Amino acid sequence: MANHKSSLKRIRQDKKKALHNKYYAKTMRNAVRKLRAMENKDEASALYPKVQKMLDKLSKTNIIHKNKAANLKSSLCKHIQKLG
């Protein structure tokens, strides 16, 4: 167990931030999953900007890596192009 007040506070803050980051990462994964499951090109094209915005925000705040966001956006864009 930590001995200093500051380290106890840091532990509390880290738990809170981890929970916050986990929520947003899970929300992003669900949005990506939902977009990949779509079969209609119009609906997928309408949802893509929202998912793209979400990925950009999460990469900006270091919840996910910027290259992971770029790879996801690229693969989702390819997926939408394949839809007929």
Side-chain angles (χ1 to χ4, degrees):
M1 189 66 197
N3 292 321
H4 297 280
K5 273 188 166 183
S6 60
S7 59
L8 292 171
K9 182 177 179 181
R10 176 61 58 194
I11 290 168
R12 288 195 309 269
Q13 287 175 336
D14 288 344
K15 283 182 186 175
K16 192 172 181 181
K17 284 181 186 176
L19 189 65
H20 177 266
N21 291 345
K22 190 186 294 186
Y23 168 77
Y24 282 103
K26 183 68 173 177
T27 305
M28 177 269 307
R29 283 197 302 272
N30 287 337
V32 169
R33 205 173 288 135
K34 182 178 177 184
L35 185 61
R36 281 202 180 118
M38 286 188 172
E39 298 296 329
N40 189 351
K41 187 171 186 171
D42 295 331
E43 290 177 11
S45 297
L47 182 64
Y48 180 70
K50 294 174 186 170
V51 175
Q52 185 179 10
K53 184 178 178 182
M54 188 184 304
L55 289 167
D56 288 336
K57 281 184 177 181
L58 292 179
S59 67
K60 186 175 78 173
T61 55
N62 290 325
I63 294 175
I64 60 171
H65 196 271
K66 64 178 184 171
N67 290 349
K68 180 182 176 84
N71 290 335
L72 284 170
K73 287 191 293 186
S74 174
S75 68
L76 290 172
C77 196
K78 285 181 187 175
H79 173 70
I80 291 170
Q81 294 300 318
K82 284 183 187 176
L83 295 176

